[in-house]
């Protein structure tokens, strides 16, 4: 009898015991770095408050903070809408048509999911470089008479374009996967019912598909924005510091300049922007979602 | 809908095929070109009239491996395997708990775990470097794996919980009726049924760790993982070494995905029809 009671008690705390290791581990690997990051960024070695790192960030001629902030937001602001539209079109396409080899086509379309930012940068470097495939193809087709130069600091705008192409190529897949999964969860019965009541395709999209897809859209946008603000590998490979970004400057300050405090400050800035944009997305989409009548 | 004439029907088919081909080409052409360039001879690459190289050599990949990429690739594998072991050891029980138990605070705990992942991994790396030097695990695969585990853990918890939720509860109950205890049910019934899905999740964890570059380059100097090694070393090298580097990073991920493609897609909640 006592044994049964004990077993029941164990059953009640068992789930907490199973989850505790994860929470403790995550708590340590998020909590400790956050506290230490604030310490590194705002306090000197004696533990006194200092604005030295902030001053360096904002005022030093060596610091590229303003450019980095500008380019990070610019890349995020261009890449995310482009790949969102692209992924939405792809998801609608694969969800509405049946054809032979469709599964293989979906599989290929999501391949970039497994390709890292560094690898994607190298792949597009081989496409766009002076003797690369794109230039040779256009030259031989007679579209251009001399190679388009994508790289080198004199060609910053082209470098930016190369980064945007690479990022869109690499990360449309994740948005596509989330949206396709969301579309497939919408029951056909809703659409059929709407059709019976005379809703046309546009109305069905506006009043059924989009509202029901909203949670997926929100998830995809949050995930992609978080990653876009940390953009690093592809930029570093394609443009180095010609196009400074926040994560790249954190890397540079830490590994080249040994400014640990400045690197920590960059990390905190990225975290702050990430969290506020995440909160904004959740608010904005929740409002729309409720308004649509669910 | 208007009446579908044969011509219209054929046209429709062609348009659909063309759209699918465009999507596939957009992904495949750059990969194919970079693989071709990784193996093409310099003469073909510099020949402005050879759009697609036709002569090939293994030299560039061999050079890159000799420059240190083989050691870096080995480090990457060690880090990724350690990450899988650690994140599953910690995350699997949590995933099971979320899938099978109803308890107060369940949703809040799940949200907490996912929410902690919203902090960018860049925040993790810089302070850990200082801590690792003190602990003596700076520049070791273990150190990188510990940080990668923090990155992969929320993913493992979420995905394993949805995999376990897919195993019918009735089978577990039957096991209990026939005299197995909780652990026995888990080991003899739930785990075997969940295994394919778990394998896919493990492969995806491998890829996440294999691809990660920021943490790895901050937390190592000599024992770099492959992406970190390439980010620092290969960028100063001639084009061919860069192409070979791209090939080396992409290859394992593609092989793994090819093996696990059916489960990978199912894992993301897509049912192929």
């Amino acid at each position: 009898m006592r044994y049964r009671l004990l077993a029941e008690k164990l059953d009640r705390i068992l789930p907490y015991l199973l989850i505790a290791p994860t929470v403790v581990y995550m708590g340590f690997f998020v909590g400790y770095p956050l506290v230490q990051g604030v310490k590194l960024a705002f306090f000197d070695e004696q533990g006194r408050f200092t604005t030295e790192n902030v001053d360096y960030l904002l005022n030093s001629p060596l610091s590229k903070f303003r450019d980095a902030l500008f380019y990070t937001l610019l890349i995020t602001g261009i890449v995310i809408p482009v790949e969102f539209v692209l992924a939405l079109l792809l998801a609608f396409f694969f969800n509405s048509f049946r054809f032979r080899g469709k599964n293989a086509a979906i599989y290929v379309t999501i391949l970039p999911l497994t390709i890292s930012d560094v690898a994607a940068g190298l792949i597009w470097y081989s496409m766009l470089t002076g003797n690369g495939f794109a230039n040779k193809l256009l030259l031989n087709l007679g579209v251009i008479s001399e190679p388009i130069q994508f790289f080198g600091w004199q060609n910053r705008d082209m470098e930016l374009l190369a980064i945007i192409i690479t990022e869109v190529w690499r990360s449309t897949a994740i948005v596509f996967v989330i949206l396709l999964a969301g579309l497939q969860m919408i029951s056909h019965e809703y659409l059929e019912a709407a059709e019976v009541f005379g809703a046309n395709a546009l109305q069905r999209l506006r009043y059924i598909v989009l509202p029901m897809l909203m949670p997926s859209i929100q998830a995809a946008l949050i995930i992609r924005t978080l990653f876009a603000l940390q953009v690093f590998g592809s930029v570093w490979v394609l443009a180095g510091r010609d196009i400074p970004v926040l994560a790249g400057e954190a890397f540079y300050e830490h590994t080249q300049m040994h400014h640990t405090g400045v690197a920590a400050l960059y990390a905190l800035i990225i975290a702050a922007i990430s969290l506020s944009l995440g909160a904004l997305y959740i608010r904005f989409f929740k409002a729309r979602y409720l308004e649509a009548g669910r | 809908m208007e009446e579908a004439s044969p011509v219209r029907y054929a046209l429709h088919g062609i348009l659909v095929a063309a759209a699918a081909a465009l999507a596939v080409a957009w992904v495949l052409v750059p990969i194919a070109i970079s693989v071709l360039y990784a193996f093409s001879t310099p003469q073909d690459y510099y020949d402005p009239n050879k759009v697609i190289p036709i002569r090939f050599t293994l030299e560039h990949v061999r050079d890159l491996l000799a420059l240190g990429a083989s050691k870096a690739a080995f480090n990457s594998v060690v880090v990724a395997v350690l990450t899988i072991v650690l994140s599953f050891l910690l995350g699997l029980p949590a995933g099971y708990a979320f899938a099978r138990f109803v308890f107060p605070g369940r949703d809040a705990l799940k949200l907490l775990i996912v929410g902690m992942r919203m902090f960018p991994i860049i925040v993790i790396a810089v302070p850990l470097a200082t801590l690792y030097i003190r602990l003596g695990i700076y520049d070791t695969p273990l150190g990188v794996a510990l940080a990668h585990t923090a990155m992969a853990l929320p993913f493992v918890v979420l995905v394993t919980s949805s995999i376990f939720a897919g195993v019918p509860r009735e089978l577990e109950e039957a096991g209990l009726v026939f005299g197995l205890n909780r652990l026995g049910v888990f080991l003899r019934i739930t785990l075997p049924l969940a295994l394919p899905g778990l394998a896919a999740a493990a492969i995806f964890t491998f890829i996440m760790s294999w691809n990660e570059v920021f943490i790895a380059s901050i937390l190592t100097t000599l024992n770099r993982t492959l992406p970190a090694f390439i980010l620092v070393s290969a960028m100063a090298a001639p084009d061919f070494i860069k192409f070979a580097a791209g090939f080396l990073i992409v290859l394992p991920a593609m092989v793994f995905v090819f093996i696990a493609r059916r489960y990978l897609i199912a894992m993301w909640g897509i049912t192929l029809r």
Side-chain angles (χ1 to χ4, degrees):
Chain A
M1 208 55 205
R2 264 186 75 178
Y3 177 76
R4 273 263 315 256
L5 267 173
L6 201 71
E8 259 172 41
K9 214 172 203 169
L10 187 72
D11 254 20
R12 220 172 314 139
I13 59 164
L14 185 61
Y16 299 106
L17 288 179
L18 294 175
I19 293 167
T22 294
V23 172
V24 171
Y25 193 91
M26 286 303 293
F28 176 77
F29 274 91
V30 175
Y32 173 84
L34 272 184
V35 173
Q36 283 301 311
V38 171
K39 256 193 187 165
L40 287 170
F42 294 108
F43 294 88
D44 64 15
E45 271 152 42
Q46 280 75 46
R48 278 179 310 232
F49 179 78
T50 170
T51 55
E52 200 186 312
N53 294 318
V54 182
D55 283 342
Y56 173 90
L57 204 72
L58 293 176
N59 302 322
S60 164
L62 293 173
S63 162
K64 289 195 181 183
F65 170 68
R66 281 162 224 270
D67 280 350
L69 185 65
F70 170 75
Y71 278 118
T72 305
L73 296 178
L74 182 70
I75 291 169
T76 307
I78 296 173
V79 164
I80 289 186
V82 170
E83 65 186 25
F84 177 70
V85 171
L86 213 61
L88 203 60
L89 289 176
L90 279 170
F92 279 134
F93 172 75
F94 280 114
N95 197 46
S96 2
F97 295 108
R98 290 160 175 277
F99 52 92
R100 236 170 357 136
K102 180 171 148 184
N103 286 355
I106 291 180
Y107 165 58
V108 170
T109 310
I110 66 166
L111 254 188
L113 204 64
T114 62
I115 293 174
S116 68
D117 45 2
V118 172
L122 291 166
I123 285 172
W124 276 94
Y125 178 80
S126 70
M127 287 286 283
L128 299 175
T129 186
N131 297 305
F133 177 74
N135 271 321
K136 275 201 225 173
L137 186 70
L138 293 179
L139 279 173
N140 281 285
L141 291 175
V143 179
I144 52 175
S145 56
E146 54 186 290
I148 305 167
Q149 294 303 329
F150 270 94
F151 304 106
W153 63 269
Q154 308 93 319
N155 307 305
R156 271 178 148 199
D157 291 345
M158 297 309 276
E159 282 186 329
L160 187 66
L161 184 63
I163 290 166
I164 286 165
I165 293 173
T166 304
E167 282 294 303
V168 168
W169 180 82
R170 180 177 74 87
S171 54
T172 299
I174 179 88
V175 185
F176 165 69
V177 163
I178 296 171
L179 294 183
L180 183 61
L183 276 182
Q184 296 200 334
M185 275 188 286
I186 299 174
S187 163
H188 280 281
E189 282 155 29
Y190 292 114
L191 298 171
E192 278 157 20
E195 224 178 326
V196 169
F197 285 110
N200 62 30
L202 210 64
Q203 284 169 325
R204 291 197 299 269
L205 181 73
R206 169 77 182 80
Y207 293 106
I208 297 174
V209 177
L210 281 183
M212 293 192 76
L213 197 59
M214 229 19 120
S216 306
I217 291 177
Q218 183 183 340
L221 285 180
I222 290 177
I223 290 174
R224 265 306 293 149
T225 309
L226 293 186
F227 286 127
L229 292 170
Q230 306 175 38
V231 65
F232 169 58
S234 53
V235 176
W236 201 260
V237 166
L238 292 170
R241 280 182 89 217
D242 298 347
I243 308 279
V245 288
L246 293 172
E249 288 307 291
F251 173 78
Y252 176 80
E253 294 290 349
H254 187 89
T255 57
Q256 309 295 308
M257 308 292 282
H258 302 290
H259 288 155
T260 310
V262 178
L265 191 55
Y266 269 113
L268 291 176
I269 290 168
I270 296 169
I273 303 174
S274 299
L275 290 180
S276 32
L277 274 180
L280 208 67
Y281 272 142
I282 289 171
R283 276 221 152 141
F284 176 70
F285 281 103
K286 200 159 250 166
R288 286 270 297 275
Y289 190 49
L290 289 173
E291 197 186 73
R294 268 209 63 180
Chain B
M1 228 190 210
E2 310 100 78
E3 207 172 313
S5 70
V7 178
R8 190 181 271 268
Y9 187 75
L11 202 67
H12 177 87
I14 291 169
L15 280 177
V16 167
L22 198 69
V24 167
W26 160 243
V27 172
L28 278 192
V29 169
I31 298 175
I33 292 300
S34 81
V35 172
L36 280 181
Y37 278 3
F39 293 102
S40 74
T41 59
Q43 296 92 300
D44 276 16
Y45 170 65
Y46 289 115
D47 185 343
N49 295 317
K50 287 228 171 69
V51 177
I52 292 177
I54 44 172
R55 277 174 296 180
F56 298 101
T57 168
L58 287 171
E59 206 180 309
H60 315 303
V61 175
R62 218 182 293 142
D63 283 354
L64 184 67
L65 288 173
L67 277 172
S70 48
K71 187 186 161 209
F74 178 73
N75 283 334
S76 270
V77 172
V78 173
V79 169
V81 170
L82 276 174
T83 302
I84 293 176
V85 172
L86 286 169
S87 63
F88 273 71
L89 223 54
L90 293 161
L92 204 74
Y96 186 73
F98 282 124
R100 274 298 180 264
F101 295 95
V102 181
F103 51 94
R106 185 165 166 263
D107 291 342
L109 277 171
K110 210 169 182 175
L111 198 68
L112 179 73
I113 292 171
V114 179
M116 283 194 280
R117 184 60 180 83
M118 271 183 73
F119 287 93
I121 45 174
I122 290 166
V123 178
I124 293 177
V126 177
L128 281 189
T130 323
L131 176 71
Y132 280 9
I133 292 171
R134 250 188 292 156
L135 293 177
I137 54 171
Y138 182 76
D139 205 12
T140 61
L142 176 67
V144 180
L146 286 172
H148 281 186
T149 299
M151 178 182 79
L153 195 48
F155 166 83
V156 170
V157 173
L158 281 186
V159 171
T160 54
S161 105
S162 72
I163 292 166
F164 285 132
V167 176
R169 198 183 283 267
E170 290 75 23
L171 293 177
E172 292 191 348
E173 278 159 9
L176 284 173
V177 167
F178 284 110
L180 286 170
N181 61 19
R182 266 253 145 80
L183 187 68
V185 166
F186 177 75
L187 290 178
R188 315 233 334 232
I189 296 173
T190 317
L191 200 59
L193 285 170
L195 214 53
L198 296 178
I203 285 172
F204 208 82
T205 308
F206 185 98
I207 293 170
M208 267 198 275
S209 166
W210 175 272
N211 281 339
E212 198 285 326
V213 67
F214 191 91
I215 291 177
S217 18
I218 296 270
L219 295 180
T220 56
T221 48
L222 300 172
N223 291 307
R224 293 197 185 280
T225 61
L226 191 58
F229 168 79
I230 281 162
L231 193 74
V232 177
S233 314
M235 292 326 294
D239 281 357
F240 284 107
I241 300 296
K242 291 185 193 174
F243 302 150
F247 170 75
L248 277 188
I249 311 186
V250 168
L251 183 69
M254 304 259 274
V255 170
F256 281 123
V257 172
F258 189 75
I259 294 168
R261 62 189 186 281
R262 188 186 313 165
Y263 298 110
L264 271 184
I265 289 169
M267 202 174 71
W268 285 95
I270 299 178
T271 42
L272 288 177
R273 282 173 300 192

